[in-house]
Amino acid sequence: MANGYFTPFTEGLLDGSIDMDTATIKVALVRGYTFSAAHKFVSDVTATGTINGTSAALANKTVTGGVFDADDTTISATANATNHGLLLFQSSAAAGGADVAATAQRVIAWYDTGTGLPIQPGTGTVTVTWPAANPKILKVG
């Protein structure tokens, strides 16, 4: 188990295909996935892992001093299963708008280690509480 950023995420920041404060950013509960930094799209993750619920768009996003943050969120788990990690991803195009296909949704970060992780959701609502101090949701640089 390991937390990490996906290599194509940093490339997306540099080429403009990922926009943390304009695009729709979501988080999903995922089980059965082994992190690979080379993965680029949500479809790469779901090739081996299973999504068990996705949040609404993260609200009140901020990007300050290389740190990305947003309000805490909730996810409705649809299956009673164990050992879930959190997948942070861009669900829309960089300019925002509607969700695109999983083959175009860009993965950002994977979290399966830390306080409350992995998650054992059961069925129902899972609250995702982001750290209040750096690195908050994520820090680049």
Side-chain angles (χ1 to χ4, degrees):
M1 296 181 143
N3 297 336
Y5 302 135
F6 296 95
T7 303
F9 160 63
T10 54
E11 295 166 355
L13 288 176
L14 294 172
D15 71 15
S17 58
I18 294 178
D19 190 320
M20 298 299 292
D21 56 356
T22 302
T24 302
I25 308 295
K26 296 181 178 182
V27 63
L29 285 170
V30 180
R31 69 178 187 275
Y33 172 68
T34 301
F35 175 73
S36 169
H39 286 161
K40 186 174 185 176
F41 301 107
V42 169
S43 59
D44 296 329
V45 172
T46 58
T48 59
T50 302
I51 291 181
N52 185 21
T54 302
S55 73
L58 296 184
N60 297 312
K61 299 178 295 180
T62 60
V63 178
T64 306
V67 175
F68 174 71
D69 196 19
D71 290 349
D72 297 341
T73 191
T74 59
I75 302 171
S76 294
T78 59
N80 187 3
T82 60
N83 297 327
H84 288 74
L86 295 172
L87 176 68
L88 187 69
F89 66 100
Q90 176 178 290
S91 66
S92 69
D99 287 356
V100 296
T103 53
Q105 292 176 337
R106 300 291 300 266
V107 293
I108 296 168
W110 171 252
Y111 306 100
D112 67 2
T113 304
T115 303
L117 293 169
I119 297 170
Q120 317 300 330
T123 56
T125 302
V126 173
T127 300
V128 178
T129 304
W130 303 112
N134 282 341
K136 299 192 179 188
I137 297 176
L138 64 87
K139 180 175 174 56
V140 178

